[in-house]
Amino acid sequence: MTASENAVLDYKALPKIELHAHLSGSISRQCLHEVWLTKKAAGETDLQDPLIEMPEGKHNYDLKTFFPLFSSYIYNLVNDAPTLRYTTLAVLRDFAADGVVYLELRTTPRAMPAAGLTEAAYVQTILDTIAEYEEEQEQSSRDLDEGRPGRLRTKLILSIDRRHTPAQAWRVLALAKQFLGRGSDNVVVGIDLCGNPAAPLDSQALSPVFEEARRVAGLGMTLHFAEAECSASDAELDLLLGWRPDRLGHVICVGERVRQQIVERGGMGLELCLSCNVHAGMVGGGFESHHFGEWWKVDEAVVVLSTDDVGVFGSPLSNEYALVTQHFGLTRAEICTLVRKGVDVIFGGEEEKARLRNILWVD
Ligand code: IMP
Ligand code: ZN
């Protein structure tokens, strides 16, 4: 076994938290293939086999080829409640098998009219599936080892897409309020801004929604931020920071002024996704030039390594940890400190933070 294979195994065993994972982008190709086989046998799809559409080992999707994968392919395959449940369960099992003990999964509420599913039913189906999975884990851990601490707990973040109309965006916020968590229920804990950075941001449409979201007690806010030059104008970044987000995703194209503002906020969560950024060509110079190298030592920010779309980019969270060890020389102790620090910026509440601090204390 090579040193890097050893490192991945080692980081699989390390309990980890994942805060930036899109549900539809986290479905493995194998799982999509299984869905396709079932639908094909039932005469329910004319789509090409996912293993041909997205061959194993192909990870170099860029901003032009990445977004159509969803609109023209994955959404046409995951198009009814049973498939949504099946794929969500597979995603949860994959994260758990990789040693993730706390997951904030995000998704854009999507109606499936042909299957009679509303946006609310889409969210409810995912929450029911999370509850089902947690119950299943509860049973098996009771059998195996009473009170085993390292079980996966999952919360949901609802995404607003940059291309959403005001009506759609308001509906997502209404759903977030409807399903907002109380106590330790399986629930929605936050709101996100995602979508193709090439799409212009309609600030007049979206600002009132995010400003209102900020006023909702207990609702976390995370934003895809400066993902590409086209979404990193001063005007856009100032607008987004003005919404007072708790966390930012990617943070690639930021100059010194904005960097300073992030530092001055203090305690801002930065969800950094190395493999996605490198494979999609969003950063130049490969892994060693990734801005993780600049941020991880900044005391005023909280860096959380995340996968973004593991089904597309093929790098599980354990591999992201192996990559930062390899390219930035973090020691085991520094890695453990990084994981623990991330707990400060989860949206899942104080009880969950206490559980995680307890688990992550032992390495
Ligand atoms: P879903 O929201 O669960 O359907 O996950 C897929 C969606 O997430 C895509 O249609 C995009 O809008 C969004 N998404 C996934 N990765 C990225 C990213 O890197 N930047 C912005 N949006 C993304
Ligand atoms: Zn993302």
Side-chain angles (χ1 to χ4, degrees):
M1 194 178 289
T2 65
S4 71
E5 282 166 345
N6 258 328
V8 173
L9 273 187
D10 201 21
Y11 291 125
K12 235 183 221 263
L14 181 76
K16 298 172 289 300
I17 66 174
E18 163 72 76
L19 302 186
H20 188 136
H22 298 266
L23 173 58
S24 307
S26 299
I27 308 168
S28 72
R29 288 153 205 225
Q30 184 54 38
C31 176
L32 290 174
H33 176 67
E34 289 161 14
V35 168
W36 179 82
L37 283 177
T38 308
K39 287 192 181 270
K40 192 80 186 162
E44 291 172 4
T45 187
D46 292 328
L47 290 171
Q48 185 157 226
D49 184 340
L51 296 180
I52 294 175
E53 186 73 28
M54 306 164 64
E56 289 288 359
K58 175 174 165 53
H59 304 305
N60 59 343
Y61 291 92
D62 61 17
L63 291 179
K64 282 212 174 66
T65 53
F66 174 75
F67 290 95
L69 262 188
F70 296 94
S71 50
S72 355
Y73 191 77
I74 296 173
Y75 289 167
N76 294 327
L77 202 55
V78 183
N79 63 355
D80 54 33
T83 314
L84 181 61
R85 175 185 166 275
Y86 185 82
T87 52
T88 302
L89 268 179
V91 166
L92 298 178
R93 289 193 183 115
D94 288 348
F95 276 111
D98 194 44
V100 174
V101 291
Y102 177 79
L103 166 66
E104 285 179 11
L105 203 55
R106 62 186 71 190
T107 197
T108 322
R110 181 161 59 93
M112 299 174 178
L117 211 70
T118 60
E119 288 166 352
Y122 175 91
V123 176
Q124 186 66 62
T125 303
I126 295 169
L127 292 176
D128 289 347
T129 307
I130 292 171
E132 183 189 335
Y133 179 72
E134 292 192 354
E135 179 60 26
E136 189 183 297
Q137 271 192 315
E138 194 90 27
Q139 293 296 344
S140 61
S141 74
R142 231 179 265 140
D143 296 344
L144 280 170
D145 171 6
E146 195 95 15
R148 194 168 51 144
R151 280 178 287 136
L152 171 67
R153 293 246 174 93
T154 304
K155 305 291 179 191
L156 199 61
I157 294 173
L158 299 186
S159 299
I160 291 176
D161 193 293
R162 295 168 72 90
R163 292 158 296 186
H164 272 169
T165 62
Q168 281 174 304
W170 281 114
R171 283 207 305 276
V172 175
L173 179 59
L175 288 171
K177 286 181 182 171
Q178 180 185 336
F179 290 104
L180 184 63
R182 304 271 182 279
S184 59
D185 297 344
N186 290 307
V187 281
V188 170
V189 292
I191 200 136
D192 164 46
L193 174 72
C194 76
N196 191 341
L201 190 73
D202 183 347
S203 58
Q204 289 204 329
L206 294 185
S207 274
V209 182
F210 280 91
E211 283 161 7
E212 169 65 17
R214 187 67 302 175
R215 287 191 281 271
V216 178
L219 188 68
M221 187 195 296
T222 176
L223 307 172
H224 282 70
F225 189 84
E227 241 182 306
E229 289 293 350
C230 57
S231 66
S233 64
D234 281 350
E236 172 160 339
L237 300 189
D238 288 345
L239 180 83
L240 298 192
L241 288 176
W243 296 346
R244 296 189 290 121
D246 305 289
R247 303 198 312 242
L248 301 173
H250 295 297
V251 197
I252 299 171
C253 305
V254 294
E256 190 46 39
R257 185 184 69 88
V258 172
R259 187 183 179 282
Q260 205 47 44
Q261 282 189 36
I262 294 171
V263 169
E264 279 164 18
R265 290 279 164 116
M268 182 86 92
L270 303 182
E271 305 152 0
L272 302 188
C273 312
L274 274 78
S275 292
C276 153
N277 295 168
V278 171
H279 291 315
M282 295 151 78
V283 294
F287 287 104
E288 42 285 312
S289 310
H290 193 275
H291 47 292
F292 172 86
E294 291 165 34
W295 282 108
W296 78 273
K297 286 187 184 153
V298 175
D299 286 337
E300 295 84 355
V302 182
V303 168
V304 184
L305 279 182
S306 300
T307 54
D308 210 6
D309 297 282
V310 59
V312 179
F313 297 109
S315 175
L317 195 56
S318 53
N319 192 55
E320 296 295 291
Y321 279 92
L323 285 169
V324 300
T325 309
Q326 184 187 342
H327 294 284
F328 300 99
L330 274 76
T331 63
R332 171 90 185 175
E334 285 168 335
I335 290 279
C336 292
T337 305
L338 191 73
V339 179
R340 276 185 213 123
K341 199 174 163 193
V343 175
D344 293 347
V345 298
I346 70 165
F347 294 157
E350 292 309 314
E351 201 179 305
E352 188 53 34
K353 284 183 182 174
R355 181 187 79 100
L356 290 172
R357 290 194 178 112
N358 198 26
I359 296 171
L360 302 175
W361 186 247
V362 193
D363 55 278

